[in-house]
Each structure stands twice: as C-alpha cells, then as structure tokens.
C-alpha cells in the first residue's frame, strides 16, 4: 500500500497523499463492510445474503492490503472468495428454494433478546477499546540475528517463519486438510 | 486513531455475525455467519501485526492458519448440511433428530 501511494504521489506531484488515501480507503471499506454484514444478516433471500458475504470478504481482503499484509490478502481472496463463497453458493442453490420466500423474518422474542444482549456486549466492548491506552503497551524487542525484518517483503517473512519457527504446525495443517477432505467426501457420499 | 477504529469495526462484525448465527432459521445462513465471525478475529490479528513491532508477533502466520482451518471446517460443514437436506428435505434448524435413519 505504501508503494502504491508513493507511486501515485509521484504521478500527481504531491507528496502528502499517503495519509488521505489511507483514510479515504479505510472509511470506504468500513462502510461497505458494515452495510454488507447487515445485508447478510437481514436479507431473506439466501442468494442475496451469500452475495453480501462475498462483498464483505472482498472488502476484508482489500483491508488486508491496506495493512501491508499482501500474502494474507491474496490468501483471503483465493480461499475465502474463490473457494468458500462458491461452496456456500452451491449449498444455497442445492436447497429447495420455494420455501424461502415466505415471511420468515418474523421478529420473535428470541430475536429481540439476542439483539439486546449483543448490542449491550458490543457497547461495553467499544467503551473498553476506546478507554484502553494501546500505545502504552511496550513490546520487548529481541534482536533477530537471522533475518532483517525491514528489508524483506511480507511473503518472504511468512516463508521464513513457516520454515523455521512454525514448521510443525505447518505439517499438522496439511494433515488436517487431508483428513477434512477425506471426511467431507465420505460424509457427502451416499 | 486508526487502531481503535479497526478494532471497533471488527467487534461490530463479530457481534453482528453472532446475532445472525443465533437467530438464523436456515443452516446455510448459520454457516455463513460462522465464517464472518472467524474473519473478524483475523482482522484483529492482522491489525495488531501491522501496527506494532513485528519481530515477536507472528499474527500473520496465525491468521493464515486460521484461514486454512476455516476452509477445512467449511467443507465438512457444507457436506453435513447437504447430507441433512438429503435425509430430511428441509433445512429448518430447530429439528433435533438430524442424522437418525
């Protein structure tokens, strides 16, 4: 994101573009995230809510690009939008669609109670977040003799961490994926 | 300023999807809200990785592991949902005798 902003500022001959672009994109993505999640929960047509899920996942991926995590953004785009969202759309279309256009959005007492509890916990969490002094937390930094963190891109840092520090979880993750795929095939078979 | 805004955004996403998960009558909508809950947690991880000193924090690695685990869980969840639909011909989430023959 910084390289893109530097490139844009060189083109437009302005040197103070990093902050405003950042803020504008943050506000834009945040508003589309809020609207997308509300649409996913409140829309009655399940295909509309699945497409709102796709919108929210794309917004989250763009947000990861803003946060200098390019590899996680690409992984999110490939895995979530490309695979999981398509899987959920298949599952939605596989169900019989004729029973969903009745008025299922009745506001029961359970809905009201859940919204009350969720809103109260959300408000308490927001006040806790705004009251915490985040920049007073000091992280002790140890000198890392193997790699210089600032000279490497995000993908290289992740590759080094996966190969050195997180080698065992990496192997376990591959075994988990294998077992999950075999289990899904066995369950979905006749 | 930016850190608090992002944390408030992820908290809002988390609680909206908890509300959607609890009050959904449809199994596929519950699955969708579950994905978004885990995505909200991933936003938190990536934000803390970005805005603090990243020598000891490996938040990016953990968010990649979380994405992979969610992929496995979504595949098994949709396989179970399709099995339930095939047996019961309805996706109402209030039934309790899902997988009996």
């Amino acid at each position: 994101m910084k390289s893109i902003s530097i490139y844009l500022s060189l083109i437009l001959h302005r040197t103070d573009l990093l902050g405003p672009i950042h803020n504008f994109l943050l506000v834009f993505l945040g508003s589309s995230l809020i609207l997308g999640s509300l649409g996913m929960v409140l829309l009655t047509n399940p295909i509309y809510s699945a497409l709102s899920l796709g919108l929210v996942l794309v917004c989250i991926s763009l947000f990861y690009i803003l946060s200098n995590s390019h590899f996680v953004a690409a992984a999110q785009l490939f895995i979530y939008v490309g695979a999981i969202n398509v899987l959920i759309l298949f599952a939605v279309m596989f169900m019989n669609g004729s029973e969903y256009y009745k008025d299922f959005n009745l506001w029961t007492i359970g809905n009201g109670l859940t919204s009350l509890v969720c809103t109260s916990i959300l408000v308490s969490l927001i006040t806790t977040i705004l009251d915490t002094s985040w920049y007073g937390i000091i992280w002790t930094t140890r000198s890392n003799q193997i790699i210089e963190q600032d000279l490497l891109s995000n993908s290289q840092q992740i590759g080094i961490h996966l190969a050195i520090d997180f080698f065992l979880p990496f192997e376990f993750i591959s075994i988990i994926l294998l077992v999950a795929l075999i289990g899904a095939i066995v369950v979905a078979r006749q | 300023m930016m850190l608090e805004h992002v944390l408030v955004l992820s908290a809002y996403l988390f609680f909206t999807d908890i509300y959607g998960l609890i009050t959904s009558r449809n199994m596929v909508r519950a699955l969708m809200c579950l994905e978004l809950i885990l995505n909200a947690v991933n936003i938190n991880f990536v934000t803390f990785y970005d805005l603090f000193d990243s020598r000891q924090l490996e938040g990016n690695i953990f968010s990649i592991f979380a994405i992979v685990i969610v992929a496995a869980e979504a595949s098994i969840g949709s396989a179970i949902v399709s099995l339930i639909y095939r047996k019961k011909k309805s996706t109402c989430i209030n039934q309790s005798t899902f997988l009996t023959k």
Side-chain angles (χ1 to χ4, degrees), chain A residues 3-77:
Chain A
S3 58
I4 296 173
S5 300
I6 291 172
Y7 187 61
L8 269 178
S9 64
L10 281 178
I11 286 180
L12 299 173
H13 298 287
R14 291 192 53 181
T15 54
D16 52 350
L17 268 187
L18 178 65
I21 285 182
H22 213 240
N23 288 341
F24 169 71
L25 278 177
L26 199 63
V27 165
F28 180 68
L29 290 178
S31 58
S32 67
L33 210 86
I34 289 174
L35 289 177
S37 64
L38 272 181
M40 199 199 79
V41 168
L42 297 177
L43 286 173
T44 52
N45 195 356
I47 296 186
Y48 289 165
S49 64
L51 292 177
S52 298
L53 175 76
L55 172 71
V56 170
L57 293 174
V58 168
C59 287
I60 291 177
S61 169
L62 293 176
F63 176 75
Y64 286 162
I65 294 182
L66 270 184
S67 302
N68 281 326
S69 313
H70 313 294
F71 186 78
V72 185
Q76 165 100 6
L77 209 56

Side-chain angles (χ1 to χ4, degrees), chain A residues 38 40 43 49 57 64 67 71 80 95-96 100 107 111 121 139-141 154 157 161 173 188 190, chain B residues 2 12 15 19 23 28-29 32-33 39 42 49-50 52-53 56 58 60 64 68 70 81 85-86 91:
Chain A
L38 272 181
M40 199 199 79
L43 286 173
S49 64
L57 293 174
Y64 286 162
S67 302
F71 186 78
Y80 265 111
M95 309 294 165
N96 194 7
Y100 292 131
W107 188 260
N111 279 2
I121 300 180
W139 298 92
T140 62
T141 66
N154 185 44
Q157 286 179 18
H161 278 305
I173 284 274
Q190 196 57 34
Chain B
M2 204 192 105
Y12 166 79
F15 281 106
Y19 170 76
T23 65
V28 187
R29 190 186 297 262
M32 293 195 285
C33 291
N39 262 320
N42 266 348
Y49 172 78
D50 177 38
F52 284 109
D53 183 23
Q56 265 187 329
E58 283 105 7
N60 259 353
I64 287 180
V68 170
V70 164
V81 162
Y85 181 72
R86 207 184 302 155
T91 57

Side-chain angles (χ1 to χ4, degrees), chain B residues 28-74:
Chain B
V28 187
R29 190 186 297 262
L31 209 63
M32 293 195 285
C33 291
L34 195 60
E35 310 295 328
L36 275 190
I37 287 172
L38 296 164
N39 262 320
V41 172
N42 266 348
I43 289 180
N44 262 352
F45 272 124
V46 170
T47 303
F48 277 117
Y49 172 78
D50 177 38
L51 289 176
F52 284 109
D53 183 23
S54 61
R55 278 169 215 269
Q56 265 187 329
L57 312 177
E58 283 105 7
N60 259 353
I61 306 284
F62 199 84
S63 65
I64 287 180
F65 285 162
I67 288 177
V68 170
I69 296 279
V70 164
E73 166 247 337

Side-chain angles (χ1 to χ4, degrees), chain A residues 44-182:
Chain A
T44 52
N45 195 356
I47 296 186
Y48 289 165
S49 64
L51 292 177
S52 298
L53 175 76
L55 172 71
V56 170
L57 293 174
V58 168
C59 287
I60 291 177
S61 169
L62 293 176
F63 176 75
Y64 286 162
I65 294 182
L66 270 184
S67 302
N68 281 326
S69 313
H70 313 294
F71 186 78
V72 185
Q76 165 100 6
L77 209 56
F78 277 140
I79 295 177
Y80 265 111
V81 180
I84 291 181
N85 202 21
V86 173
L87 188 66
I88 285 177
L89 268 173
F90 280 166
V92 163
M93 289 179 188
F94 183 61
M95 309 294 165
N96 194 7
S98 66
E99 62 193 37
Y100 292 131
Y101 297 100
K102 300 177 195 164
D103 191 13
F104 268 173
N105 214 4
L106 304 169
W107 188 260
T108 63
I109 294 181
N111 279 2
L113 188 63
T114 310
S115 68
L116 197 65
V117 167
C118 278
T119 312
S120 62
I121 300 180
L122 175 66
V123 162
S124 68
L125 192 63
I126 285 176
T127 53
T128 308
I129 286 172
L130 294 176
D131 279 340
T132 314
S133 64
W134 292 103
Y135 295 101
I137 298 173
I138 301 174
W139 298 92
T140 62
T141 66
R142 60 180 165 91
S143 66
N144 206 342
Q145 286 118 5
I146 303 178
I147 47 178
E148 281 291 329
Q149 295 268 9
D150 298 329
L151 299 176
L152 302 175
S153 68
N154 185 44
S155 313
Q156 286 168 319
Q157 286 179 18
I158 288 180
I160 289 176
H161 278 305
L162 273 181
I164 296 177
D165 293 326
F166 292 97
F167 189 63
L168 193 62
F170 180 65
E171 302 296 328
F172 280 156
I173 284 274
S174 58
I175 292 178
I176 282 176
L177 274 178
L178 180 69
V179 169
L181 280 178
I182 293 177

